[in-house]
Amino acid sequence: MVSVSFQCGHGAARETEGVLSLRRPCPLCMLIDETHRSRDELLRKVAPPQRASLAGETRIGAEYQWRCPRGHDRYVATVSQVLTGTGCAKCRSGAAAPAARLEAGVAFMKPGLRTATSMTEQRLRMMLAERIRLHHRVNAVHIARTFFGRREVWPDILVPQLRIAVEYDDPGRSRRAHLGLKEASDLEKDEALNEVGWEVIRIRAGGLEALGANSIVCRSLTSAVVDEVVERMRTLRGDDAVAAIAIAASEAS
């Protein structure tokens, strides 16, 4: 078997004789980047005796023991499953329990929630707030399954009065955001919200293709795009429901 050295510094030592040097990151670093996570995040989840091994791991199919953040038993899973999967078996069964289902679909404020918000997303919120009343005291929704080990999701903008979430997607500077595994993750997130009675309107900008029936494809965020978001809300929930939270022209000015 040929030993391989990767651009990210993982794999065999470059100076070793007979090592094939590749000018790209290792498969694990590529998956970490694609799922917008970090190796440090993985190291905090893995069982302590295996941290040293995971620090230099290159294979996405390698199995490790992982710690559940809720204190459940340790579980065995591949690195790929931890980056794209749904957590331990007890978390999955707990999400489907009767008590958890009572909360499913409820929007709430997650204290200390820190998510990266782009300038465009902030602009979208401001433009939407000129048209409808946004609820500023909610940032998460309980779901009836686990999503990356949690029983909640954090859409960009929540309109709990209509049970509608608005997401803004663009490929970003890397031109790879919201593609590949991240696109699959976005779809899973939408399905989890649909299961608990929410609809998701996705603005797909910068060349991204539609991700579902409620996708609004555009080159960039404009006033016309935000108007289309509100119009889609009317289609989904009815004119009366949207009119009840609409901002009058006098209020907007």
Side-chain angles (χ1 to χ4, degrees):
M1 182 180 292
V2 178
S3 297
V4 180
S5 173
F6 295 95
Q7 188 179 40
C8 57
H10 299 116
R14 287 178 179 268
E15 59 273 11
T16 305
E17 186 177 351
V19 168
L20 176 63
S21 182
L22 298 182
R23 297 179 62 183
R24 63 173 177 81
C26 71
L28 178 51
C29 282
M30 291 174 68
L31 181 60
I32 287 172
D33 180 61
E34 191 172 343
T35 53
H36 297 264
R37 283 164 173 78
S38 68
R39 196 173 286 251
D40 284 343
E41 184 178 344
L42 279 178
L43 292 176
R44 289 194 295 270
K45 293 181 177 180
V46 78
Q50 297 186 304
R51 283 178 183 161
S53 177
L54 181 60
E57 183 61 73
T58 62
R59 302 164 299 156
I60 64 174
E63 287 191 337
Y64 285 84
Q65 271 202 344
W66 306 91
R67 300 185 302 170
C68 173
R70 286 188 164 81
H72 296 147
D73 299 335
R74 293 182 183 181
Y75 62 100
V76 177
T78 66
V79 179
S80 177
Q81 288 169 335
V82 170
L83 284 170
T84 63
T86 54
C88 79
K90 286 188 177 179
C91 281
R92 293 196 300 272
S93 62
R101 287 191 173 275
L102 289 175
E103 293 184 329
V106 176
F108 67 103
M109 174 59 73
K110 175 84 172 181
L113 178 61
R114 295 176 182 173
T115 55
T117 303
S118 69
M119 293 293 291
T120 306
E121 289 170 7
Q122 293 176 30
R123 184 164 152 254
L124 169 60
R125 177 177 288 277
M126 291 174 59
M127 294 171 73
L128 197 54
E130 293 173 351
R131 292 158 171 81
I132 61 172
R133 291 185 181 85
L134 293 180
H135 198 309
H136 298 289
R137 294 184 180 178
V138 292
N139 58 8
V141 179
H142 289 294
I143 55 176
R145 61 162 86 174
T146 54
F147 183 73
F148 291 104
R150 299 180 183 273
R151 293 184 291 190
E152 65 204 34
V153 291
W154 317 316
D156 294 335
I157 297 174
L158 294 175
V159 188
Q161 306 96 312
L162 305 177
R163 285 205 165 196
I164 288 178
V166 181
E167 300 272 25
Y168 177 82
D169 305 334
D170 68 35
R173 292 181 180 178
S174 69
R175 307 306 300 171
R176 294 190 297 112
H178 293 284
L179 294 169
L181 284 172
K182 186 62 174 70
E183 181 176 290
S185 173
D186 288 339
L187 278 169
E188 184 181 349
K189 184 179 181 182
D190 292 357
E191 289 171 3
L193 282 163
N194 292 159
E195 288 173 1
V196 295
W198 283 68
E199 294 286 352
V200 182
I201 299 173
R202 281 193 177 272
I203 300 173
R204 302 279 288 175
L208 295 178
E209 296 179 354
L211 206 57
N214 291 324
S215 292
I216 297 173
V217 178
C218 59
R219 292 182 60 183
S220 60
L221 182 65
T222 64
S223 182
V225 169
V226 182
D227 286 340
E228 190 173 347
V229 170
V230 176
E231 200 55 40
R232 192 65 57 91
M233 291 179 179
R234 296 182 189 278
T235 301
L236 291 169
R237 300 304 192 213
D239 291 338
D240 290 345
V242 177
I245 60 170
I247 298 291
S250 57
E251 293 181 79
S253 60

